[in-house]
């Protein structure tokens, strides 16, 4: 007696093929969205350069490929912070003036995920080095003015030129430090802000899917079975079938990279 194929297995195979096609379409949509974001950033940078140079009504000038270079030659520099650093010293009071004073101090540099499409690629090969140079901005020095001569605390009131000191109050409030690289951490899992851990997150996801958070239209009339929602700091992609729900992917809502650094003592 010939065996007949189970219709359930055929349905499951068909659903798997549909899910595979949908995943490819979603991947293509994300690639197009990334391209649109990059093009938008270039247009905004060009517009900001035009506004910085001054705009007057009249015939529209032709596009100058060397506009960015000319802007740099005129001293117009546009910078984008690639990350933010935090240390065990939360306030200025008590912070050592030199890293060699407190060699056990630690800091963490958190890179912005919005600067690169793949932030991890920017750190490739960095683990081959023991130290890194960090150029930073004194964004909390408390003053917007600066003077040509300052009084360093350790010179007992003697005035010297600002460029011969470590004063953060200068025309361009930039600093340079040498730090020892101790570890590089890629945070692929979301940092929960309200949930206590992965166990609570899994229980919350199960409870949400059991209650079917979709609208009546999506449950009864919409052919798209994919559903997206955000729980705490996690973006969740799931698939609703007939009488079941499957979680396809859980990813952080904001991917960040941390590099643990230690200020190096002066040589």
């Amino acid at each position: 007696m010939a065996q007949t194929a189970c219709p359930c297995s055929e349905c499951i195979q068909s659903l798997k093929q549909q899910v595979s096609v949908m995943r490819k379409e979603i991947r293509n949509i994300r690639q197009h969205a990334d391209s649109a974001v990059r093009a938008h950033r270039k247009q905004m940078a060009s517009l900001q350069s035009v506004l910085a140079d001054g705009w007057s009504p009249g015939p529209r000038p032709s596009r100058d490929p060397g506009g960015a270079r000319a802007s740099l030659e005129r001293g117009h520099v546009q910078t984008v912070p690639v990350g933010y650093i935090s240390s065990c010293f939360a306030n200025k009071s008590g912070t050592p003036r030199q890293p060699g004073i407190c060699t056990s101090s630690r800091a963490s540099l958190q890179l912005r995920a919005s600067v690169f499409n793949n932030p991890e690629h920017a750190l490739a090969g960095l683990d081959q080095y023991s130290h890194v140079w960090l150029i930073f901005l004194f964004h909390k020095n408390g003053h917007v003015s600066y003077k040509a001569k300052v009084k360093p605390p350790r010179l007992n009131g003697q005035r010297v030129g600002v460029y011969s000191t470590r004063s953060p109050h200068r025309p361009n409030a930039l600093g340079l430090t040498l730090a020892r690289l101790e570890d590089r951490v890629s945070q692929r899992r979301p940092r929960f802000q309200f949930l206590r851990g992965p166990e609570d997150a899994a229980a919350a996801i199960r409870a949400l899917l059991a209650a079917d958070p979709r609208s009546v239209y999506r449950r009864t009339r919409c052919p798209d079975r994919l559903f997206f929602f955000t729980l705490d700091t996690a973006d969740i992609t799931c698939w609703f079938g007939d009488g079941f729900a499957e979680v396809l992917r859980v990813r952080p809502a904001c991917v960040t990279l941390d590099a643990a650094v230690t200020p190096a003592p002066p040589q």
Side-chain angles (χ1 to χ4, degrees), residues 243-256:
F244 71 94
E246 179 184 2
V247 176
L248 302 180
R249 183 169 61 180
V250 178
R251 62 182 301 177
C254 181
V255 180
T256 58

Side-chain angles (χ1 to χ4, degrees), residues 84-252:
Y84 298 93
I85 191 168
S86 57
S87 70
C88 54
F89 302 102
N91 302 310
K92 180 177 67 174
S93 178
T95 302
R97 63 184 182 276
Q98 283 281 13
I101 297 177
C102 184
T103 57
S104 60
S105 60
R106 295 293 183 273
S108 175
L109 174 61
Q110 187 177 79
L111 298 183
R112 296 176 59 194
S114 59
V115 177
F116 298 102
N117 293 332
N118 297 297
E120 294 183 7
H121 293 180
L123 300 179
L126 190 63
D127 51 359
Q128 300 179 7
Y129 299 91
S130 60
H131 293 72
V132 292
W133 286 105
L134 300 177
I135 302 176
F136 60 92
L137 177 69
F138 290 101
H139 68 294
K140 288 188 177 182
N141 58 14
H143 296 276
V144 294
S145 60
Y146 47 86
K147 297 180 180 180
K149 284 192 173 183
V150 296
K151 298 179 180 179
R154 297 184 62 82
L155 291 185
N156 299 322
Q158 180 183 354
R159 288 181 176 271
V160 294
V162 65
Y163 292 136
S164 64
T165 68
R166 295 188 298 266
S167 173
H169 313 301
R170 52 185 67 234
N172 296 312
L174 298 176
L176 176 67
T177 187
L178 178 65
R180 181 183 295 109
L181 181 63
E182 291 192 346
D183 193 12
R184 194 189 83 179
V185 180
S186 176
Q187 299 171 356
R188 298 184 180 275
R189 294 185 179 181
R191 286 182 172 179
F192 298 109
Q193 183 177 1
F194 303 100
L195 301 174
R196 290 177 295 180
E199 293 78 9
D200 283 358
I205 292 174
R206 286 194 295 266
L208 287 173
L209 296 183
D212 197 346
R214 297 177 298 169
S215 63
V216 176
Y217 172 78
R218 293 189 65 88
R219 288 199 305 265
T220 58
R221 301 180 59 184
C222 183
D224 186 6
R225 299 295 185 92
L226 285 175
F227 186 73
F228 308 91
F229 66 96
T230 300
L231 175 65
D232 205 323
T233 57
D235 290 335
I236 300 166
T237 304
C238 58
W239 168 271
F240 279 91
D242 295 333
F244 71 94
E246 179 184 2
V247 176
L248 302 180
R249 183 169 61 180
V250 178
R251 62 182 301 177

Side-chain angles (χ1 to χ4, degrees), residues 46 49-51 53-65:
S46 177
S49 177
V50 172
L51 294 177
D53 295 339
W55 178 85
S56 59
R60 185 176 181 180
S62 59
R63 186 174 181 180
D64 181 13

